[in-house]
Amino acid sequence: MVDKQFVTPWADKSDSDPFHSLCSYLGAFPPSLANYFIKYFTDENDLVFDPFSGRGTTILESRLLNRKSFGSDLNPIALALSKAKSYNLKPKDILNRIDELQEDYDYALFLPEAQAQADEIHLIFHPRTLAELCYLRVMLLESENKIDQFLIGAVLGIMHGGERKDGSSGYLSISMPNTFSMAPDYVRRFVQTKELNRVYRNVFDNLRDKVRRVFKKHISPKKASFILECDAKEISKSKELKKYHGKVDLLLTSPPYLGIVNYAKQNWIRSWFLESDPIEISERLDDDLNINEWVKFSKTTVTEFKKMLKPNGTAVFVIGDVAKSTNNVIPLAREFAMMIKENKLFKNIWIFSDYIQGVDKTTRIWGETKGKATATDRIVILSDVNPFEKNDRLNGQFILNYEQIKESTQDFLG
């Protein structure tokens, strides 16, 4: 098999909207990739769907490009982040709400709640910071107010991360990674080894700073999005999504890989704020499957997704290779494509490779699974029509000409 490499137009990620940085998220694809395919395969006011919405990259880019959009997920953290990026809000109103929350806060009332938290949480946060977080859990989690739902996403984004050289921090925790939660036992050793002290971080001040940063160059889109909790294997059974059956112009998503990211367990600190049990959530998610289970899962979900697409709609999947060992790399996209072909789910399949430079992939930065997530993503495009024909949205330019696309696909599939 010859695997051709091409320079992709979304390699430059410098122009992404600051709203994407609301909160880090494991395994997210770059906003520039979503931006490109939304521009290429849809027009303004077309409908875009992401059934594994994650941190809301597809949703936000759709809104920025004046497309209608909706997303779904099963992970409470993903739902919170996608919702935070789905509303039309003004920073002034958000800052006013933070002021209101701070004015009503009483440390003495929430100190007992903070003291009652698990030991592993006490390792991470100063008692006063923890009391403020306990207060915000009470005030925000049951609220249906859009500003409060945005603030949940903002809190998740500042829960934990590193200190600056001067000891200050935009995060609330001891100095630690911001992308994933270190295991509790590892945190204990980490605190002892690094001799870390818990420093009081004012949650309200850090929230204000976060809001100002993400809104600094953000141009609020006109369109809002719809986000709901839904199992990707049962999309067509959702009463709330029934109105979208056969209406989607573009489905753009990245499905879970083979045991690379346990989104619940590796986000247990953020799960604590959401009052979610990481073990219970992990059992609901399909992020720890073997290859046979994954292919079966893919068949079920793609069958469901196709019911959402227009007859001339397009589906774009970002699927990474998985390294089981140094000499054993599983190109999941090939298994995925062969499953599509054998079951005749779509008439046309195109595949090409996106080689990620350096350590862009979040899933390559921690030791526990180092090496399992490779530096290669495969872009799989599915449609019952040829979406490349008569397409002048980008002046007729795609990353490859059509003959190259076909050649790349043939080479990859052997």
Side-chain angles (χ1 to χ4, degrees), residues 5 27 36 53 88 110 129 141 145 170 246 252 255 284 292-293 317 341 347 352 356:
Q5 299 189 28
Y36 191 88
S53 64
N88 294 324
F110 285 88
T129 301
L141 292 189
N145 181 285
L252 174 57
R284 295 175 59 198
N292 293 327
E293 292 169 337
F317 293 84
K341 197 171 184 179
K347 292 180 181 177
F352 52 93
I356 302 170

Side-chain angles (χ1 to χ4, degrees), residues 393-410:
R393 293 184 179 96
L394 298 176
N395 299 318
Q397 298 299 311
F398 188 61
I399 49 174
L400 323 170
N401 65 43
Y402 187 57
E403 291 304 315
Q404 285 177 312
I405 296 170
K406 290 196 297 183
E407 182 182 359
S408 174
T409 302
Q410 291 169 358

Side-chain angles (χ1 to χ4, degrees), residues 40-60:
Y40 190 79
F41 287 125
T42 67
D43 295 309
E44 289 195 8
N45 295 312
D46 278 356
L47 183 60
V48 180
F49 174 40
D50 187 346
F52 302 107
S53 64
R55 69 170 180 170
T57 301
T58 295
I59 297 303
L60 179 54

Side-chain angles (χ1 to χ4, degrees), residues 226-259:
F226 173 57
I227 308 295
L228 85 161
E229 180 179 353
C230 189
D231 189 336
K233 301 187 296 296
E234 299 181 344
I235 289 288
S236 66
K237 296 179 183 178
S238 169
K239 293 180 180 179
E240 294 146 302
L241 294 183
K242 196 168 184 179
K243 61 184 177 182
Y244 296 118
H245 286 197
K247 302 289 181 61
V248 174
D249 295 281
L250 173 65
L251 185 146
L252 174 57
T253 196
S254 182
Y257 300 168
L258 300 179

Side-chain angles (χ1 to χ4, degrees), residues 92-106 135-136 139 145 147-148 151 204 208:
K92 182 179 178 181
D93 294 335
I94 299 172
L95 293 171
N96 286 340
R97 176 57 174 155
I98 296 172
D99 291 342
E100 290 174 4
L101 289 165
Q102 185 170 20
E103 186 176 337
D104 292 339
Y105 171 66
D106 188 330
Y135 164 70
L136 288 177
M139 298 302 294
N145 181 285
I147 292 177
D148 287 352
L151 285 174
F204 306 102
R208 291 187 190 93

Side-chain angles (χ1 to χ4, degrees), residues 179-231:
T179 305
F180 64 97
S181 304
M182 297 183 294
D185 287 342
Y186 187 87
V187 172
R188 290 187 182 91
R189 295 194 300 270
F190 186 73
V191 170
Q192 293 171 354
T193 303
K194 301 292 184 180
E195 297 182 350
L196 298 177
N197 293 316
R198 294 170 299 167
V199 177
Y200 170 56
R201 313 287 187 192
N202 186 298
V203 178
F204 306 102
D205 287 345
N206 277 22
L207 268 180
R208 291 187 190 93
D209 290 343
K210 184 71 173 181
V211 170
R212 293 187 183 107
R213 286 198 303 273
V214 299
F215 273 95
K216 189 173 182 179
K217 295 182 180 180
H218 174 67
I219 300 175
S220 295
K222 297 177 181 178
K223 287 183 168 57
S225 291
F226 173 57
I227 308 295
L228 85 161
E229 180 179 353
C230 189
D231 189 336

